[in-house]
Amino acid sequence: MEFLKILFKNKKLVLKLGKNDFRNRYANASLGTLWGFLQPFVFMMTYVIVFQYIMHTGSAGQYPYVVWFLPGMSMWLFCNDAILQASNSIRTYSYLVKKVVFPVDIIPIISLTSSSFIGLFLIAITTLVAICFKFIPNIFILIYIIIAAYCFIISFTRFTSAVTTLVPDFSQLLNILIQLFMWFTPIVWNLNMLHGIVQCMFKAFPFTYLIEGMRQAFIDSTIITEHHGLYTIIFWVITVFLFVFGNYVFKKSKKDFADIL
């Protein structure tokens, strides 16, 4: 596919600009990029302190709340930041869009690369905390779910980055939707609280698959293999559909980006 060829051809450029993007986010702060790691880390630890040590919230019965909670939250923070940054990336890099020779297709991937530094850091912290509680992650599931997250984010933001460029107000709508997605995804609440068809509907939600899949890497969960991979099939069907549809919208729209910006 054309997009994959462009991405592979410009992989070094994507990595270089992604690093610069991450540094530039915190260029005006005295602690620099340290804030990028500190803010989400403090956010996650605040949730743990409030729910486990103040409210004494249970999670999945036999598992410590911190081990149950951190994998899901680390994955969500990565998805949240990557989607919002990539969706607004073309407007952020409008000066590159106006350069005829620059491959516009890779711009959302630049922002995704930038978000990866924080996302992978949070997953590493989660792994260290889980090991401290004597929960050793399944490295194969961990690698698989990270790859699945990248595929979904790329597919999702092929569409949202194009629409946000054409319709600036869509960025505000996307922010609202992402907030709703957080609370409708089992990050701070247990999926076992739901039953029947409602539970099945929530399990078919792509973000639920990623959150629960990340947990499965650390604790005993079954969403990836449940019903002989039913939810895995649903997740990849949705991801492929989003990529095909988003790629179509992006290709049809990118000729107008320079004029709009």
Side-chain angles (χ1 to χ4, degrees), residues 11 56 67 84 88 106 113-114 132 141 167 180 188:
K11 58 183 181 298
H56 301 287
V67 177
L84 292 180
N88 290 285
I106 70 171
T113 302
S114 175
C132 289
I141 295 180
V167 185
L180 292 176
V188 298

Side-chain angles (χ1 to χ4, degrees), residues 43 47 73 75-88 152-153 156-157 159-161 164 169-187 189 205-208 210-211 242:
F43 180 78
Y47 265 86
M73 181 54 79
M75 174 56 72
W76 172 256
L77 289 177
F78 169 53
C79 291
N80 175 79
D81 185 66
I83 288 173
L84 292 180
Q85 293 295 330
S87 297
N88 290 285
F152 176 75
I153 293 169
F156 190 67
T157 55
F159 170 74
T160 57
S161 60
T164 299
D169 286 352
F170 183 76
S171 176
Q172 302 302 321
L173 175 61
L174 185 61
N175 276 292
I176 295 173
L177 290 175
I178 289 295
Q179 292 180 36
L180 292 176
F181 289 157
M182 175 181 174
W183 293 108
F184 281 96
T185 302
I187 303 170
W189 53 274
F205 191 44
F207 288 117
T208 300
L210 294 174
I211 299 302
L242 285 175

Side-chain angles (χ1 to χ4, degrees), residues 62-187:
Q62 67 270 39
Y63 308 112
Y65 185 79
V66 64
V67 177
W68 179 88
F69 172 77
L70 287 183
M73 181 54 79
S74 62
M75 174 56 72
W76 172 256
L77 289 177
F78 169 53
C79 291
N80 175 79
D81 185 66
I83 288 173
L84 292 180
Q85 293 295 330
S87 297
N88 290 285
S89 60
I90 296 178
R91 286 193 165 272
T92 302
Y93 284 95
S94 59
Y95 61 93
L96 293 179
V97 177
K98 297 174 183 177
K99 292 185 177 182
V100 178
V101 296
F102 192 85
V104 177
D105 293 73
I106 70 171
I107 291 180
I109 310 301
I110 293 172
S111 294
L112 173 57
T113 302
S114 175
S115 298
S116 296
F117 291 104
I118 298 174
L120 295 177
F121 165 75
L122 294 176
I123 292 173
I125 291 296
T126 298
T127 302
L128 290 175
V129 172
I131 291 175
C132 289
F133 280 84
K134 300 180 180 180
F135 284 82
I136 308 300
N138 184 319
I139 190 66
F140 297 106
I141 295 180
L142 185 61
I143 292 174
Y144 163 75
I145 208 67
I146 290 174
I147 293 174
Y150 274 105
C151 292
F152 176 75
I153 293 169
I154 290 172
S155 300
F156 190 67
T157 55
R158 284 293 282 172
F159 170 74
T160 57
S161 60
V163 177
T164 299
T165 305
L166 298 175
V167 185
D169 286 352
F170 183 76
S171 176
Q172 302 302 321
L173 175 61
L174 185 61
N175 276 292
I176 295 173
L177 290 175
I178 289 295
Q179 292 180 36
L180 292 176
F181 289 157
M182 175 181 174
W183 293 108
F184 281 96
T185 302
I187 303 170

Side-chain angles (χ1 to χ4, degrees), residues 59 68 184-187 189-195 198-203 208 212 215 221 223 226:
S59 55
W68 179 88
F184 281 96
T185 302
I187 303 170
W189 53 274
N190 196 333
L191 192 59
N192 291 331
M193 296 168 64
L194 304 177
H195 302 282
V198 176
Q199 186 186 68
C200 292
M201 291 173 59
F202 273 78
K203 282 184 177 181
T208 300
E212 291 293 310
R215 286 196 179 116
S221 180
I223 191 169
E226 189 172 12

